[in-house]
Every structure is written in C-alpha cells, then in structure tokens.
Amino acid sequence: MEFLIASAIGVMTAAGIYLVLRLRTFPVILGISLLTYAVNVFLFTSGRVVAGAPPVLRDDINTYTDPLPQALVLTAIVISFGMTAVVVMIGLGAFLGSDDDHVDDQPEGKV
Amino acid sequence: MSLFFIVALPFFGALLPGLMNPAGRSACAGVTFTVTLAAFVGLLTNLPAILGGDIVTARVDWMPALGLNFTLMLDSLGFFFALLILGIGLLIIAYARQYLSHKDNMGEFFTYLLLFQGAMVGIVLSDNILLLLIFWELTSLSSFLLIGYWKHLPEGRQGARMALTVTGMGGLAMIGGMLILGQIVGSYDLSVILQNRELIQADPLYVPALILILLGCFTKSAQFPFHFWLPHAMAAPTPVSAYLHSATMVKAGIFLMARMWPVLSGTTEWFLIVTTAGLITMVLGAVIALFKHDLKALLAFSTVSHLGLITMLLGTGTAFGAMAAVFHILNHATFKAALFMSAGIIDHEAHTRDIRRLGGLRTLMPVTFVIVMLAALSMAGIPLLNGFLSKEMMLEEANHTVLFNSPWLVPVLATVGSLFSAAYCFRLIGHVFFGPVRDDYPAKPHDPPAGMWLPPALLIIPVIVIGVAPFVAEPFVKLVTASVLGNAAEMPSAHLKIWHGLVPALYMSIIAVLGGLAMLVIFKPALRVWDAVPRPEAKTIFDAVVAAIVRLSQALILPLHNGAFTRYAAVGTVAIVVAGYYAWTTGTVGAPMHEMQKADPVLISGWGMLVAATIGMVFLHRNRFLSLILIGIVGLMVSIGFVFLSAPDLAMTQFTVEVVTIILLLLALNFLPNHTPIESTVLRRMRDVAVAVAGGLASFALAYYYMLRDPVSTPISEFHLANSYKGGGGTNVVNVILVDFRGFDTFGEIIVLSIAALLIYALTEALLSGPVRMRLLNRKPDQPQAGGVHPMMMVVLTRGMMPVVMMVGFYIFLSGHNEPGGGFIAGLIVSIGVVMQYMASGFSWTSARLRYPYHGVIGAGVLVAGFTGIGSWFVDKPFLTSDFTYVRIPPFQEFELATAALFDVGVFLSVVGAVMLSLESFSRLARRKDAVESEHPMDIDPSRDDRPRQTVTEGA
C-alpha cells in the first residue's frame, strides 16, 4: 500500500513538473494543480497511512489515525483553490490584455 | 511634560497642517507653530530638573527580547539640542510662512517639517541606541522630502537623492557599529553603554565599531570626504536650508559624536580619524566657500567648514576641546541660522542669490544689512560677538594639539582655516552690501515685512549678548559639557571670557582677520587662479559611481532574471533535487520499522486510474478540454484515496473543491484557446522529461522511505486525540483542531482565502474598466453553441435540488463537530448549490435574486470569526479561547452549544463568499454584446405565452 501511495505521489509530481515547464499558461496551471495534489497527499502521509481508523472518537475504539496532518491539509486544499483561482485570473487577464498566453517574457516584437 | 509627549507631539502634529490646508496658509503655519510651541514649552518644563543636574527618563519596554525598548532620556546635552531644534524650529516656521509663495503647498511643507522635527527630537532624547537608529533613519527620509520639496526643480530632486544616498549609506554603516557596541556591552541602553568606557575600548571590535559609527556621523555632518552632498541640498527652499543645515540635521552627527564622546574618544584611532577629518573639512570648506558666488552655496560650504571645526574639537579628546565644541555648536547655530534666513530674504527681494549681481544693498536693505553684518562678523571671529569666543577657544585648543608628531601642523592649518573663514565673511558683507548701488538688480530690493526679518533678528540677540557678556552662557555651556564628558574627564577650569591676555591664540586670530581682509583685496586675481586650477567635481564622481553600481547590478541580475519563468522553474527543481540528493547521501536512513501493508484491490484499481489519468494528461495536455476531464479523474481518485485512508473530512473537502475548481477552469477556458500548440523542440521536451522524472523519483523516494519508518520524535497529535472531547467538546478531532486547537491558523486561512477572492474581483474590475472590455463584449464564441442556454430540464432539476443541497450543507455544518464535516465543507457544498442555479438560469436571473453581495458575505464571515475570538477577552481569556455546554430543549435530544460553532459560522460564510465571488467574477467577463440576457429562468416555459427567444446567436 505504501508503495502505491508513494508512486502515485511520484507520478503526479513528475507530470506536474513536466506541465509546469510548458510554455503556455493553461498547462502550467494544470501542472500546478497536479503538484498541489501531490503535495497535499505527501503532507497527509506524514501522519503515516492507516486504513479504517478515522479520527472521529468512539467509545469502543482506541486506534485512530493522526488527525493533525488532516486538519492542516484540509485548509491547504481550500486555500489552493483560492490560489488557483488567482493564478487563473492573472493568466486570463494577461491573455485578454495582450492576446498572448506565453508564460515566459517574449522577445520584443515577437508578439 | 513627559518626554513621550515632547517626541510624539511633532509626529501627531504632522497630521494637522495637511488638514488645515483648506483653511489657508496662516492657519497652516499657525497650527504648526502651536504644535512646536507646545513641544518647546513641554521641554522647558523639564528645565528645573536639568539645572538641578538630574536626568529625566521615560521608559516603555517595547520588544525587550530584542533589547529594543522605547526609552527616552533627557540630560543637559539632549536638552541643549532639543532647545536648538525646537527653538530655531519656531523661528523657521514663522519665517517660512512669509517665504513660501502661493504656489507652494504649505500643508505638505509643514507636514514634512514636523516629521523631521519629531525625528530630530527623537534622536537627541533616545536612551536606546536601536531607537536612536530608527529616528536617525527617519531624519534621512524626512530630510529627503524636505530637500526635494520643490519637485519641479531637477536640482532639488537630484540634491535630495544625493543626500538620501549618502546619509542613508552612513546610517546603514552606523547600524552595524551600534549593534557591535550593543554586543560588546550587552545592552542597547545608552545610559549603560556610557558607563563602560574601559570595556568598549579594550574590545577587539572597538575599531570596527568606531569606524562604522563615525561613517554615520561623518556622512550626516558632511565631513570630508562626504561633504559634497550638503551644497547640493541647497536646492531646497531656504527655510529648509536654514533649519537642516544650521541647527539640526547636520548637527545630528556632531550630537552623536558628543554623545558617544565618553566611551569612544581618547584613543589614538579616535584622535587620528576625527581630528584629521575635521581639520581637512574645516580648511577645504572655508577655501571653497570663499570662491562660491551663490550666497547659499557660500553658506553651505561655510557650514561644512564650521562642522569640521567642531568635529576637530571633539577629536582632540580633551575636556577643553569638548567645551569649546559645545560652545561653538551654540554660537554657530545662532549666527548661521540668521545668515541662511537673510540669504533667503535677499533672494526673495532681489530675485537673485548671485553675489556678482548684487552689491550696494546697504542703503536699500538696511535692516537686513545690520543682521547679516553682525552675524557674518561673528562668524569671522570679530571680538564682542559670540563667534570670536569659540574661535579663540578653538585656536587655543589647536595650539596644544600635536598631530602626526608635528606641533605646527594643527595650529597652522587652523589659522589658515580661520583666515579663509574671515575672508568669505568679509566678502559676504563687502560684495553684497557695500559698493555702488546698481541699476540692474532682477527686482528692486527692499527690506521684507517684519514677519520675515524678525526671526533672524531674534537670533542676533544671543550673538551680541554672549559676545559681550560670555559669563551669561558659561553656566549653561558647562552644564552641557558636563554631560558630554560623563565620567571620562574632569570639567576644565577655564572660563568663557573675552580677554585671555596676550596668548598665541590671540595672535593667530589677528593673523586670520588681517589675512582675511588681505584676501578680499586680492580676491579678483585669486579667483582667476582658482578658476584656472582643475578640481574634481564631486557630483560628477558621485554620478559616475552610482552609474557604475547600477551597471554592475544589471550585469549581475539581468542574465539571471531574464523573464523566462520556465527556466526558473527548471533550475529551481534541479536545485532542490540536488540538495535533497546531497542530504540523502550524507545522512543516514534507518532500517524500515514496519512491514508494507497489504494493498486492497479497490486501492489498486484507484491507483491504476490515477496513474493512467495523470500520464494521459501529459500526453494529451494539448487538448485542453480533455485534460480538464483527466484532472477531474485525478482529483476524484485522490478523494477516494482519502476515504480509504481514514480521512473522511479530507475526502469531502477534496471532492467539493474539485467541483468548483473544474467549473472555474471551464469558465477560464471559455476565453483561452482550446488547444496548446507545439512550440518546444524535441530536445527541450527531453530535457523537461528528465527534470520531471528526477523530481518525481525524488518525491517518490522521500514519501516511500518515511512511510515505512516512524517519526523521530513523538508527534503532538496524541494531545489532540486525548483533549478533543474533554477540552473541545467534539468527537471529530480534525474539526476540533480546525476551529479550536488551531483556530488562530484557521482564522488566518479564511482571511487569506477572502483576500484571494477580493483580488480576483479587483482584477476583474480592472479588466472590465480597461480596453479589454470592448474586446470581451464583441467576442465571437469559438465553439458551436448549444441551442438553448437555459434548458428547462436543468432548471427544474437544479431548482429541486437546491433545498436538498442546502439541507445537506446545514446538516454537515451542524454535525461537523462530532462527525466528518464542518464549516469548510458545508461552505463548499452550499456554494455548489448556488453555482448550479447560475449555470441553469443564467447570470442576470440569479444575480437579480441575490440579496447580499458576496463581499458582504466574506466580510461578515471574517467579522463573525474575529468577534468570536475577541469574545473570549471579555472573560479574561486569550483570543479564540473556546467554551461549550450541553443544553436540552424538549422534545429534542440533548445537544451541544459551543463558541467554536460560532467561529465555524464565520468559516462557513467566508468560504461561501470567497468561492462565489471568484466564480461570479469569472462569469462577469463572459457577458457579450450580441447575447441578450434573459430575465427568465428558462428558455421554454409552458406557463409563458411569448415565443422562446433565441438568446444567443449561433456560433460557427
């Protein structure tokens, strides 16, 4: 199970980095989203992974998974939505303003 | 009056002139005068204590951990300077009221002036050297504003920049020196530092600290080789020059040298650096001043020269030198301020400050003539005026000073300096006021109104009184000298008097005065020689140095920072991987602590879909719609993973965020091209694959290795599990952490989210108010459009779902404390419900039914959360302390009431507002000119008679 999770993190990171290195805004934004998933899962696993032991207290249960990374990741997910929205807006504004959605500064006169 | 008030008054008072601006110029000056007068009177209330030899202090611990305390101290030295700053300040304000013309914004001027005044008073009253540094920098900044007050003059702007650069750099050096000093002593309080002379001078870091502090003092007080900024700062209005360069700003460096005198002086290093710099500055300034034609430039260089004189006196390190320095500070402030103001009067009345165009003003401006003559003769060192007394003392001190093993060097140079000093004073009187009356003045000169000549005339009173009866000033000068000396030296027994007998100083004085007269006689040939000799122009050198530094930084930065963001990303990734690899190979990785857990078939299939979708995205990312669907799959699989791995809250959050993110990206794709073209070469793509694979492998390895090992130290999570119910009253530990244990974090996070949403709103507004607006309105859709935009089926379905969604949201909110759920998730669910209405019935229909703007919802959320936190203050608990109780209202079950639930309401509102404001902003961009917005909820409505209108033109 650990191998599957770690490899999923690895695959998402690799794909995320590759897309971030693309030249247009949209794939870069998707790449950042993939990296967000990878980072969130990575942070989540810092509490180590346990199946079937949610941190909701019950009288007859004594084993719970680590709740702290979950709380931190929860807000991270919501904030990452806000950040994605801002980045999309900036990319959109740049495209609408200049008719160009390149990520890198373009040499003078090429646009 | 408390010292705090004296320092704070000018700063708070600085708000007033701007407000009084509409009330007229006199009101503006009046309020400034009143504020300064209040501070002045406040200072005088401390006079009895000072005369009694006490030290007045006021203390508030600001950041005690850093040694930064708001500590003020008023001893006789501080009192002396504060008296000069506020006293001359009063005269300057009265003078500036007359001097500034109708075109000048008086409120702005007096605001800057009061800021400057407050900073100066702060310097001289600080007892903490860190606080002193803050005020020190504030004087640099506020003097920048004052010098550059006439923004339309290029000289003013350049002079202000130069002053800021030079004094700012000196200030930076001084910060270093002061920090070293604080480290040596172990305290940043001046009163402590001043008691530790032996400790400081024995320390190996004494010399670096000394040099750094002197750099600060020399730049501020325009000592050679930093003297060049002061004449350029003369582009300022004359009241500024008179204030900054006679009594205040340039005296700050002198003040600090006097303040630090007990601990820094007396060593060979101090003597060599300070005396030499002072001596060079004195002679150089005096020589240059003689050949300046601009009245203010002449006075500027004479100020440089006199500051050099004072510096030299402090440098000798003897008690007599310190007393002479204090006395000369007093005398110089009086006659120099009077001279600057008179120069302003001449400029104001004759419309020129060029000495070559003046002459014969004696009869035209008799009042000004008397003022200038007395002040200039005092500066020249003529008996019965105060300048004579301190100059005699200086010559006396010079006579006993042996520099570089030569008993002649200092006396000779001091005499030369005095000679040129006398010469330019005689030239000032002779070439401006004597000679024939001319008929080519730019304006007809006459004496100004009393409001303008009274301030300098008042300053002439001490010039004469001290000059005739020096014993009047003696107790005060000795009192100030005592606090300069501290316990480092004994008070000299010498007295201030006119006649000392036939001492060498008298002969030196006579040589200087006679030589000065002789220089005036041979001025014309001397000027020709001066003009013929090539000299380095300080401004050219300064400009060249600045330009070279700019070129150097550009050469360093531009190749690295070339705007290629993908390159930064690649370099950053590789750097992180390399650093991680280094840590990996040099550290130790222990053996796995537990077996790998068996994988469930569900997990394997989920993993398969996630990996397939992710890899699919890489290959299919050029088709943007397809990649959106694929990223949706990835997000879904991550949510399912969270369910499986005991994180129900995360799963719900991820799932709902996924929905709104996809909607957001779809909205964005509405405007962006649907396809990404192939642009990068195969080689480049290979490189990117290599970087990506390296990064992926690294994160895989890191995650894999640590999941099989336990944490090095016990995590704090046990505390949360144990106290969640007992202390927080909830069984859902994740939610209790969010709203209770780490509520402050959550509070910060909802604020960040809200700011992000407002930022999106602001960007949208900016786009819609610019040229983009017309393009958006006239945009043609690039995809074929469906016939009906608001289909009946969808409208009916979403309308039916709305109450259900609301109920689910409500349930999840309420149960959140004990079961998975809470404000974040409920907020997202409710947002999705509302977004569905937008999608089904259109923007305008939905907006028309909106009762509260989303900004308000965001604000309400943050306020509710904030007030919940503040509420705990009323029961003397820290911010966001929570409490809960159980109540039972028949016939319901017993239920819990917790303040944390109220906080969660804030979270809920912020999330709803932020998500909706973001999405709404995007959809506002989508309005088009050719699309008629329907106010009906759906296109086909059987209850409506009219024919369905085609609301959108068919696309291509």
Side-chain angles (χ1 to χ4, degrees), chain A residues 1-59 62-107 110, chain B residues 563-566 569-570 573 596-599 603-604 607 610-611 614-615 617-618 621 624 627-628 631 634-635 638 642 644-650 653-654 657-658 660-661 664-665 668-669 671-673 676-677 679-680 684-685 688-689 691-692 695-696 699-700 702-704 706-711 715-717 720-721 724-725 730-734 737-738 742 749 752-753 756 759-760 763-764 767 772 775-776 818-820 824 915 922 925:
Chain A
M1 189 163 81
E2 280 85 353
F3 179 82
L4 292 185
I5 298 167
S7 59
I9 293 173
V11 170
M12 286 192 290
T13 311
I17 293 174
Y18 181 78
L19 289 178
V20 163
L21 294 177
R22 296 305 88 210
L23 295 174
R24 303 288 182 141
T25 50
F26 198 76
V28 170
I29 291 166
L30 291 184
I32 294 173
S33 299
L34 276 182
L35 283 177
T36 309
Y37 293 136
V39 170
N40 284 342
V41 175
F42 181 83
L43 288 180
F44 167 70
T45 57
S46 69
R48 307 304 185 272
V49 289
V50 187
V56 178
L57 303 178
R58 291 285 178 270
D59 286 338
N62 283 321
T63 49
Y64 303 102
T65 187
D66 191 339
L68 193 58
Q70 293 196 16
L72 300 183
V73 170
L74 195 150
T75 49
I77 294 172
V78 180
I79 293 226
S80 70
F81 163 74
M83 289 304 128
T84 309
V86 170
V87 172
V88 170
M89 191 68 222
I90 291 172
L92 195 58
F95 174 70
L96 291 173
S98 64
D99 217 0
D100 175 35
D101 64 343
H102 277 100
V103 173
D104 294 348
D105 286 359
Q106 296 298 298
K110 204 181 156 187
Chain B
F565 288 85
T566 47
T573 311
M596 209 177 359
Q597 299 173 52
K598 247 180 80 65
L603 197 67
I604 296 175
W607 177 85
L610 183 136
V611 171
T614 312
I615 294 175
M617 267 182 76
V618 171
H621 77 269
R624 293 180 172 183
S627 52
L628 258 191
I631 204 168
V634 176
V638 171
F642 283 141
F644 191 80
L645 296 171
S646 331
D649 288 276
L650 285 191
T653 316
Q654 181 73 64
V657 162
E658 203 52 44
V660 285
T661 308
L664 177 99
L665 288 172
L669 213 47
F671 309 98
L672 289 168
T676 309
E679 284 177 311
S680 41
R684 188 189 157 124
R685 271 177 276 160
D688 291 350
V689 167
V691 173
S699 56
F700 159 74
L702 190 58
Y704 183 64
Y706 87 46
M707 266 191 278
L708 291 183
R709 286 155 183 84
D710 284 334
I716 55 171
S717 311
H720 295 124
L721 285 169
S724 174
Y725 188 72
T731 53
N732 179 6
V733 187
V734 174
I737 291 175
L738 281 176
R742 305 195 63 84
E749 273 148 12
V752 171
L753 187 68
L759 180 61
I760 291 168
L763 285 168
T764 313
L767 274 182
V772 174
R775 274 186 52 198
L776 280 171
N818 292 319
E819 300 292 328
F824 275 110
V915 171
F922 275 91
L925 291 176

Side-chain angles (χ1 to χ4, degrees), chain B residues 459-515:
Chain B
L459 285 169
I460 295 302
I461 296 173
V463 169
I464 298 170
V465 170
I466 297 174
V468 175
F471 53 85
V472 178
E474 182 170 319
F476 188 68
V477 170
K478 288 215 163 170
L479 192 68
V480 177
T481 310
S483 79
V484 173
L485 299 179
N487 43 20
E490 287 293 313
M491 174 65 73
S493 56
H495 293 283
L496 307 183
K497 55 185 178 189
I498 303 172
W499 181 251
H500 289 273
L502 294 171
V503 289
L506 185 68
Y507 296 121
M508 289 156 82
S509 218
I510 293 171
I511 295 172
V513 172
L514 292 180

Side-chain angles (χ1 to χ4, degrees), chain B residues 32-202:
Chain B
T32 314
F33 191 87
T34 313
V35 167
T36 310
L37 188 66
F40 186 73
V41 171
L43 183 74
L44 288 183
T45 57
N46 289 300
L47 184 63
I50 299 296
L51 290 179
D54 289 343
I55 294 176
V56 186
T57 54
R59 179 186 184 93
V60 170
D61 284 350
W62 184 13
M63 290 184 230
L66 291 176
L68 180 51
N69 298 319
F70 206 95
T71 328
L72 299 176
M73 167 187 79
L74 184 72
D75 63 353
S76 50
L77 179 67
F79 183 83
F80 172 47
F81 273 89
L83 199 69
L84 287 180
I85 294 161
L86 294 170
I88 295 188
L90 283 172
L91 299 179
I92 295 289
I93 292 162
Y95 175 80
R97 162 67 189 90
Q98 303 292 328
Y99 181 86
L100 291 179
S101 78
H102 287 281
K103 279 173 283 183
D104 299 318
N105 181 345
M106 209 169 248
E108 190 188 341
F109 180 83
F110 282 125
T111 301
Y112 296 162
L113 195 80
L114 281 176
L115 286 177
F116 175 78
Q117 195 181 63
M120 276 309 299
V121 174
I123 288 184
V124 300
L125 293 192
S126 292
D127 185 32
N128 184 291
I129 50 175
L130 299 178
L131 187 66
L132 188 147
L133 286 170
I134 294 173
F135 286 122
W136 187 274
E137 296 296 325
L138 277 179
T139 59
S140 293
L141 290 175
S142 51
S143 67
F144 169 78
L145 294 171
L146 280 172
I147 296 170
Y149 172 71
W150 278 332
K151 301 177 192 70
H152 56 278
L153 294 182
E155 299 84 33
R157 299 196 300 265
Q158 287 160 12
R161 266 206 308 272
M162 190 192 272
L164 183 66
T165 312
V166 176
T167 57
M169 302 266 269
L172 286 179
M174 205 174 76
I175 290 176
M178 289 294 197
L179 290 179
I180 296 176
L181 209 58
Q183 289 294 319
I184 295 175
V185 179
S187 166
Y188 290 104
D189 282 345
L190 257 177
S191 36
V192 180
I193 291 174
L194 291 181
Q195 303 299 323
N196 284 289
R197 179 186 170 95
E198 286 75 23
L199 181 69
I200 292 168
Q201 299 198 347

Side-chain angles (χ1 to χ4, degrees), chain A residues 78 81, chain B residues 660 750 753-754 757 802 806 809 813 822-835 838 850 852-859 861-862 904-920:
Chain A
V78 180
F81 163 74
Chain B
V660 285
I750 59 172
L753 187 68
S754 308
M802 185 73 180
M806 289 293 154
F813 176 81
F824 275 110
I825 300 165
L828 287 162
I829 289 175
V830 168
S831 306
I832 292 172
V834 181
V835 169
Y838 273 100
L850 199 67
Y852 308 103
Y854 294 124
H855 316 73
V857 178
I858 293 179
V862 174
D904 223 8
V905 170
V907 173
F908 168 82
L909 289 174
S910 312
V911 171
V912 171
V915 171
M916 290 316 300
L917 188 64
S918 314
L919 293 177
E920 190 210 28

Side-chain angles (χ1 to χ4, degrees), chain B residues 818-901:
Chain B
N818 292 319
E819 300 292 328
F824 275 110
I825 300 165
L828 287 162
I829 289 175
V830 168
S831 306
I832 292 172
V834 181
V835 169
M836 284 197 304
Q837 308 305 316
Y838 273 100
M839 282 160 57
S841 298
F843 186 83
S844 51
W845 185 86
T846 319
S847 309
R849 276 147 191 83
L850 199 67
R851 205 169 295 169
Y852 308 103
Y854 294 124
H855 316 73
V857 178
I858 293 179
V862 174
L863 284 181
V864 165
F867 281 130
T868 309
I870 288 173
S872 45
W873 286 348
F874 291 103
V875 286
D876 283 336
K877 291 280 166 54
F879 188 66
L880 272 175
T881 310
S882 72
D883 197 13
F884 61 93
T885 183
Y886 296 93
V887 288
R888 185 179 142 80
I889 307 171
F892 300 109
Q893 281 183 314
E894 187 180 69
F895 63 94
E896 184 198 355
L897 276 181
T899 58

